[in-house]
Amino acid sequence: MFQPQKTYEFYSPTKVLSGNKALENLPVELDGMNAVKPLILTTPGLSARGMEKVMASAFGDSNLTIGVFAGVPPQPDLRLIRELYSLYRDNGYDAIIALGGGPVLDTAKALNIAVSGKPEDLESLASGNPLTKKLKPLAAILNLDLSGCEMTRYASLGSLSLTSPALIPDLMIIDPRTATEEEQKTMAATSLMSMTQAVEACLHPARNHLTDAYAYGAARFIMENITNVMRNPSERKGRLALANAAFFAQTSFDNLAPGMVYELGMAVSRSCHTKPGLIMGLLLPHFLLLEMRKETTDRKDLYLFIGGPEAFAGTMAEASARKAVDRIVEILLELQSIVTYFPRSIRDLGIKKEDLEKIVAHGSAAGVRGEYDPQDIRNILEKAWETRF
Amino acid sequence: MNEYKEIQSGSKPFKRAYVALMLWFVGRAIEAAARVDAAVKAEFDGLSPGFTFSLGVMPQGPTMIVGKDDQGLVRYRGWDPEGQKIDLKMKVKNLEGAILMFTFQESTAMASARNRLIVDGEVPAACAIVRVLDIVEVYLLPKLIAKLAVKRYPDWSFGEKIRNRIRIYGGAIFGL
Amino acid sequence: MELPGYYEYYCGVKIIAGHDALERIPGILQDLHARRPMIVTDKGVAGAGLVDIVLGAVKDQLTIGAVADDVPPDSDLRVVNRLAALYREQDCDALIAVGGGSVMDTAKGINIVVSERADDLMKFSGAGALKRPLKPLVAVPTTAGTGSEVTLVAVVKDHERHLKMAFVSYFLLPNASILDSRMTLSLPAAITAATGMDALTHAVEAYYGLSKNPLSDATALAAIRLISGNLVKVTRNPSDREARLAMANAAALAGMAFSNSMVGMVHTLGHATGSVCGVPHGVCMAILLPYGLEYNRHKREAVMGELLFPMGGSDVFAGTTKEQRTDRVIAYVRQMNQDLHDASGGRHARFFKEVLDREGKPAVPRERLLDIARTALGDGSIFYNPEDLDYDDFLMVLEAAWEGVALDPGCIRT
């Protein structure tokens, strides 16, 4: 929050509705966007948990007709988008409601491109041509099983990577009936993803007043609620706070380039099929310890984000960066004692030592921002492999 | 695709009936309160001749309408906005929002803070009507509940409050 | 951080801030598929050379369809219709509004007319009347205070029919707001001080108001920190570019906070004083803010105490017990008014009796306080104030703010 001022851009086009009876506002919100017939996309799993009934009840007394497609698979593909495209067109839908995390939003964003123009626009966008048409209304209803990109400009569909600010959902709803309990490990992964996005936003060289404000909200909500919710998943307010934190973290992440821990976490996740949030949680302390040894980064207020104003103000400036790391490690240790089968190092995830070199090469070649030294990346990965929390 | 189906949004007849009953009751209580309570009367006197407002639920009711007649008396004007000239429309965005209000889980102030109400009309009139609703709530509800519904519980004398309360209940229920 | 049982938040305005933010305008308009914008501004802004700076920053990459630099301070429907006609004649396809509140409102009004082909603007007043996006609008604020570059309201007067039309719609939000230090660099000290206190009031009222939420909190805290660190500094040294940019950021952040969390009694009384006595809005805010804190204190003690962190910084915050924090916050705001009074050579007013009109006469005669209190009863911002106020309460607060004395806690009815 104390950086020199550079020119920045910030954009968050999403309207947030969070809390009690939020779902019931959908009809009014859709009407404000000139939509009357939404198609809800969700997964078979969420459908089996009764989410369709919840949605039907939320639309009760609205006089609207809603469609529900409850077949979004873990790996949606172009074939699915083409099927949904016909379904959307043939039945006269005029908006999409995505209920759930990761793949549901990927499907919804891709479908929205197709129905707002034509299915071929997907390949066109993936090969770098910007979208020219305004997209149809898209609402996202978040739960606590998230990929970290739901509320961002990013979507992926098989081999296609789609990036456009137009993909960001117009509306985000967090409601106690849909942000329900997930497995402990799933909720931990979601929150550690948010935490990583928030911490990296706070240390980012291009941080600005608004990414700071969002990252601050995210970090505070996670630190105040993560262990409570793991201990007592029926704690409804805590779950809503974590879902809110995910949105805040994603919004600050979306307005900055992805950070190193995020990119490495994604890379490691691809080679061991573990949720990236868990891996990022394991990488984060090692990354921070390495950062602290450098003189270049402005990190003196990280502890404000992590510890809150009371703790931050009560700590000597020189000690505060170290305190932030300690606090994060404490949280990880606590999670280990609460969450069953919580990994303690990336070695626990079945990563072999010789795999690390591949990830280093991949990390420094592709995604990870140029300013990181491959030696740093190797260092962090090795530490996260050897050290067991 | 058997994962796909189309759902007609159902109705919530009991909740609707409850809200309709409450609106009917509040509408008639406002009429009675304007006769009984000087502050309510003064608020209405300050509004333009023939001023009429509605309080209802989106998208299709229930609704109640209250307005001033030719003599300046405040009248409950029923539930049907058809054919009535309404100066101020207060609409709760959905039935569940109305349930929160009329089961006193959310006060008028909280409902507006939570953006559950849409006000269409002149703001000064809306302010006057909110003050009227607050006073009527204090009459209709036991102190314990009314304290949650209004920001500041008025320090009226006990005897006067009870006398007026009886007259307003009488007016609302029996049209006395 | 507090999570309310329910909240809503929206600010879909793209923010571009920096010492050379104006240079990004062509790219933004290109993304919005616009190529021929009309610039809307007023004589004061044009006279200060600000339009030339904007033109200089964009002209190589953009054709300007028209420059309308005669929006009057008291703009109305006639101006809106005249400029809408100019927009059409010149075949424009976007608007760049350079100025303060009146210019922004006029530009929003023009946008409704040209986008909806409206012959009667009245049809689009009230909530929910606009249903689709309007033409691209880029806002370039030239004061750091009102936050109108991020708000969704427009007020257009109709002097012939004696009407004031309010338009409320997300579609009225500018597509982008450009916060560039060059636009406020020439602002005189007294206006800098008053508009800065307007922004501080937005943030503080948003933070203790009934509609506060985590995002309005985060933006409000950031705004308060920036204002506390820069407002007195920039009033003392108007050419401090870093402080100017910080204040422009602060005003936009505070605008985001209050347009989502709304404002309370400081605005209720401020609007009323403005309309009865014609006192500039920022001046009213500066004078009334301490009283908003004092009056609502019994309902918001803990929340108000948190403001000491962004106001006073770590050491002051840590060195003050929880019970004393709200006292310090109120004292801090009063001290800030005093510092601004000193820094502006006495032109920044600290209480109503020292506010002067253009002719140097007292602008708020004591006997007008009754009218102000009566007018305040009709202002909607009171809904969002934590504690209720009736006529007597308004008058009590006004009397204290006129004299410049603290509220007597015994007189606040709970």
Side-chain angles (χ1 to χ4, degrees):
Chain A
M1 289 195 171
F2 304 97
Q3 80 285 22
Q5 304 182 55
K6 283 170 251 159
T7 298
Y8 71 84
E9 283 190 27
F10 182 90
Y11 183 52
S12 170
T14 306
K15 179 170 184 185
V16 182
L17 314 180
S18 163
N20 196 16
K21 306 288 177 196
L23 289 171
E24 271 76 4
N25 281 325
L26 266 168
V28 171
E29 293 296 336
L30 290 172
D31 181 63
M33 298 187 283
N34 249 348
V36 290
K37 196 175 176 190
L39 174 64
I40 299 174
L41 303 179
T42 191
T43 63
L46 287 169
S47 166
R49 279 158 59 176
M51 289 303 156
E52 278 167 46
K53 276 208 195 79
V54 170
M55 294 307 293
S57 153
F59 276 86
D61 227 50
S62 70
N63 274 348
L64 300 183
T65 303
I66 53 177
V68 181
F69 173 78
V72 176
Q75 311 283 342
D77 55 16
L78 261 179
R79 208 176 51 94
L80 175 71
I81 301 302
R82 286 205 192 90
E83 277 174 41
L84 290 171
Y85 172 76
S86 322
L87 190 133
Y88 184 105
R89 283 282 168 109
D90 297 348
N91 293 286
Y93 291 108
D94 54 15
I96 302 170
I97 299 176
L99 170 59
V104 180
L105 260 300
D106 285 333
T107 308
K109 289 171 181 172
L111 177 61
N112 207 15
I113 296 170
V115 298
S116 306
K118 48 190 190 307
E120 291 72 35
D121 291 349
L122 284 167
E123 279 99 341
S124 159
L125 176 63
S127 54
N129 303 310
L131 293 170
T132 52
K133 290 221 169 63
K134 168 107 184 72
L135 298 195
K136 306 266 186 195
L138 169 60
I141 303 173
L142 293 193
N143 60 10
L144 285 171
D145 181 5
L146 301 177
S147 69
C149 287
E150 284 80 4
M151 302 309 298
T152 68
R153 66 195 67 198
Y154 307 110
S156 60
L157 194 76
S159 59
L160 297 184
S161 285
L162 307 166
T163 306
S164 165
L167 300 186
I168 302 172
D170 304 288
L171 201 62
M172 180 200 59
I173 293 179
I174 294 173
D175 187 289
R177 288 161 292 173
T178 41
T180 48
E181 279 182 54
E182 303 286 339
E183 275 181 37
Q184 277 182 327
K185 212 165 157 176
T186 304
M187 291 194 290
T190 298
S191 302
L192 289 171
M193 164 68 83
S194 313
M195 169 118 96
T196 304
Q197 289 173 328
V199 168
E200 293 207 294
C202 170
L203 298 173
H204 203 285
R207 65 191 289 208
N208 59 62
H209 300 296
L210 279 154
T211 58
D212 274 359
Y214 279 79
Y216 178 76
R220 295 308 313 129
F221 270 159
I222 293 163
M223 298 305 291
E224 286 165 6
N225 294 286
I226 186 167
T227 50
N228 289 348
V229 172
M230 295 309 141
R231 283 212 179 83
N232 180 12
S234 64
E235 217 263 291
R236 168 181 134 151
K237 201 163 178 180
R239 288 203 315 271
L240 293 191
L242 290 181
N244 268 281
F247 167 65
F248 303 163
Q250 290 187 16
T251 301
S252 57
F253 165 82
D254 193 44
N255 279 282
L256 299 163
M260 182 188 198
V261 177
Y262 178 86
E263 295 272 28
L264 285 181
M266 296 307 279
V268 175
S269 163
R270 278 189 285 273
S271 55
C272 68
H273 304 290
T274 300
K275 285 187 185 291
L278 293 178
I279 299 163
M280 292 176 201
L282 295 173
L283 300 176
L284 192 57
H286 300 294
F287 165 76
L288 289 174
L289 288 170
L290 186 84
E291 278 287 287
M292 278 175 52
R293 265 181 256 129
K294 295 185 187 158
E295 293 302 313
T296 47
T297 23
D298 178 17
R299 52 179 184 263
K300 57 180 177 280
D301 58 345
L302 178 62
Y303 190 47
L304 173 60
F305 288 59
I306 297 296
E310 208 73 60
F312 176 75
T315 306
M316 307 266 284
E318 312 80 71
S320 86
R322 179 75 216 191
K323 280 268 222 186
V325 184
D326 290 350
R327 190 73 195 98
I328 290 172
V329 171
E330 263 170 50
I331 293 275
L332 285 173
L333 291 174
E334 255 186 282
L335 290 180
Q336 257 145 30
S337 68
I338 308 166
V339 180
T340 32
Y341 303 116
F342 191 91
R344 300 178 64 187
S345 69
I346 58 173
R347 185 188 199 166
D348 289 0
L349 302 171
I351 302 274
K352 295 196 188 67
K353 183 129 196 187
E354 54 271 27
D355 295 343
L356 295 184
E357 220 31 59
K358 258 183 285 171
I359 299 169
V360 174
H362 176 88
S364 27
V368 179
R369 283 175 303 146
E371 66 250 45
Y372 287 109
D373 188 348
Q375 190 52 45
D376 285 352
I377 299 177
R378 184 175 297 113
N379 192 330
I380 291 169
L381 287 173
E382 280 174 1
K383 285 266 164 50
W385 191 84
E386 283 158 10
T387 323
R388 300 193 83 216
F389 277 107
Chain B
M1 280 196 268
N2 56 6
E3 304 101 331
Y4 168 71
K5 64 179 161 227
E6 203 153 83
I7 305 171
Q8 290 297 323
S9 60
S11 59
K12 299 176 174 176
F14 294 107
K15 285 180 173 168
R16 270 186 78 91
Y18 174 78
V19 172
L21 181 72
M22 291 300 281
L23 284 169
W24 172 82
F25 191 73
V26 170
R28 287 170 56 106
I30 292 172
E31 179 181 319
R35 283 199 305 267
V36 169
D37 183 279
V40 173
K41 185 171 185 309
E43 292 288 3
F44 275 106
D45 287 347
L47 295 166
S48 56
F51 175 87
T52 303
F53 80 95
S54 68
L55 172 61
V57 184
M58 288 171 74
Q60 43 176 3
T63 304
M64 66 113 176
I65 298 142
V66 171
K68 297 208 287 189
D69 66 11
D70 300 338
Q71 282 89 51
L73 293 175
V74 177
R75 294 284 180 204
Y76 170 67
R77 295 250 184 95
W79 51 268
D80 189 1
E82 194 61 43
Q84 306 214 45
K85 183 188 86 55
I86 296 174
D87 304 279
L88 171 73
K89 289 181 192 156
M90 299 171 74
K91 295 175 282 190
V92 188
K93 281 185 186 167
N94 54 62
L95 191 60
E96 294 295 335
I99 288 285
L100 290 172
M101 277 178 75
F102 289 114
T103 53
F104 312 106
Q105 297 175 62
E106 281 184 7
S107 64
T108 324
M110 195 188 277
S112 53
R114 294 183 172 183
N115 220 357
R116 305 223 198 252
L117 275 167
I118 294 176
V119 176
D120 215 343
E122 294 283 326
V123 178
C127 293
I129 295 305
V130 169
R131 286 191 292 268
V132 167
L133 287 171
D134 277 354
I135 297 173
V136 170
E137 273 184 295
V138 172
Y139 280 124
L140 294 182
L141 299 172
K143 187 167 180 179
L144 215 64
I145 299 175
K147 275 184 108 159
L148 301 175
V150 299
K151 287 180 190 169
R152 182 168 68 186
Y153 197 81
D155 49 357
W156 300 334
S157 82
F158 184 74
E160 188 196 344
K161 182 169 79 182
I162 296 301
R163 254 192 324 277
N164 287 350
R165 176 176 287 170
I166 293 167
R167 293 174 65 193
I168 289 170
Y169 262 98
I173 301 172
F174 306 111
L176 294 173
Chain C
M1 201 156 228
E2 201 178 305
L3 180 64
Y6 179 77
Y7 80 92
E8 297 184 359
Y9 183 96
Y10 178 68
C11 182
V13 182
K14 180 181 254 184
I15 302 294
I16 297 99
H19 297 302
D20 52 1
L22 291 167
E23 275 75 1
R24 306 263 183 115
I25 293 177
I28 290 159
L29 287 176
Q30 199 182 356
D31 289 347
L32 295 163
H33 311 293
R35 32 158 210 96
R36 210 177 142 80
M38 169 160 116
I39 293 181
V40 181
T41 187
D42 63 37
K43 285 266 183 300
V45 170
L50 301 182
V51 174
D52 293 336
I53 298 175
V54 175
L55 288 173
V58 304
K59 66 167 188 278
D60 291 347
Q61 298 170 65
L62 211 56
T63 318
I64 302 295
V67 179
D69 62 1
D70 54 354
V71 175
D74 193 23
S75 177
D76 71 348
L77 186 60
R78 253 187 27 239
V79 178
V80 167
N81 284 329
R82 179 169 57 78
L83 296 183
L86 177 67
Y87 177 102
R88 289 187 186 124
E89 270 162 35
Q90 298 301 324
D91 198 22
C92 299
D93 56 9
L95 290 154
I96 301 176
V98 186
S102 182
V103 167
M104 294 295 163
D105 281 349
T106 305
K108 288 172 182 173
I110 297 169
N111 205 1
I112 300 173
V113 175
V114 298
S115 304
E116 292 288 345
R117 294 188 187 82
D119 37 27
D120 184 10
L121 204 53
M122 196 67 183
K123 272 191 284 194
F124 296 93
S125 71
L130 291 166
K131 290 270 187 198
R132 54 180 178 196
L134 306 178
K135 300 286 179 191
L137 168 63
V138 173
V140 184
T142 54
T143 59
T146 65
S148 60
E149 66 273 17
V150 292
T151 56
L152 43 81
V153 187
V155 178
V156 178
K157 286 182 198 148
D158 181 345
H159 285 135
E160 280 150 33
R161 286 188 284 176
H162 301 287
L163 284 175
K164 211 166 135 180
M165 294 177 277
F167 303 88
V168 183
S169 169
Y170 288 133
F171 299 123
L172 286 175
L173 279 171
N175 298 76
S177 284
I178 315 294
L179 314 175
D180 190 304
S181 53
R182 286 169 286 179
M183 293 292 102
T184 51
L185 218 47
S186 57
L187 217 56
I191 298 179
T192 302
T195 49
M197 288 303 284
D198 185 16
L200 181 67
T201 306
H202 290 152
V204 171
E205 284 211 286
Y207 197 76
Y208 71 64
L210 288 182
S211 213
K212 80 196 243 82
N213 64 65
L215 289 171
S216 72
D217 284 354
T219 44
L221 290 172
I224 294 169
R225 194 182 45 73
L226 286 169
I227 295 165
S228 304
N230 293 281
L231 180 54
V232 175
K233 195 162 133 192
V234 78
T235 306
R236 284 197 189 120
N237 178 14
S239 59
D240 183 338
R241 293 170 72 233
E242 290 298 324
R244 287 288 184 195
L245 185 55
M247 284 306 299
N249 271 294
L253 286 159
M256 290 174 199
F258 94 88
S259 60
N260 281 285
S261 159
M262 311 312 283
V263 284
M265 62 178 276
V266 178
H267 274 78
T268 318
L269 284 167
H271 292 152
T273 312
S275 87
V276 172
C277 299
V279 180
H281 183 65
V283 174
C284 299
M285 296 298 101
I287 292 171
L288 290 162
L289 180 56
Y291 299 96
L293 290 158
E294 285 176 337
Y295 188 86
N296 289 302
R297 178 174 187 167
H298 60 282
K299 292 224 162 157
R300 288 297 210 212
E301 180 87 39
V303 163
M304 287 176 180
E306 288 164 16
L307 296 178
L308 188 59
F309 181 74
M311 283 182 181
S314 274
D315 293 343
V316 173
F317 186 72
T320 312
T321 63
K322 279 205 171 110
E323 296 71 42
Q324 293 168 336
R325 281 180 186 162
T326 302
D327 284 325
R328 291 289 298 261
V329 165
I330 296 167
Y332 188 92
V333 175
R334 288 217 161 91
Q335 186 58 47
M336 199 143 162
N337 272 330
Q338 183 61 49
D339 291 347
L340 292 171
H341 181 79
D342 299 341
S344 65
R347 268 165 297 169
H348 178 77
R350 297 156 297 177
F351 23 84
F352 281 131
K353 70 177 174 189
E354 72 178 12
V355 181
L356 302 177
D357 63 15
R358 287 216 176 84
E359 287 142 34
K361 288 199 267 284
V364 190
R366 191 161 198 164
E367 58 275 14
R368 299 306 299 276
L369 297 185
L370 306 173
D371 291 338
I372 299 174
R374 209 166 302 121
T375 309
L377 287 170
D379 195 281
S381 53
I382 195 63
F383 292 158
Y384 306 97
N385 195 63
E387 182 58 283
D388 220 348
L389 288 96
D390 60 19
Y391 174 80
D392 296 333
D393 299 318
F394 281 131
L395 196 56
M396 186 244 322
V397 173
L398 284 167
E399 290 281 357
W402 193 85
E403 198 63 60
V405 295
L407 281 186
D408 175 0
C411 290
I412 300 169
R413 288 181 292 150
T414 55

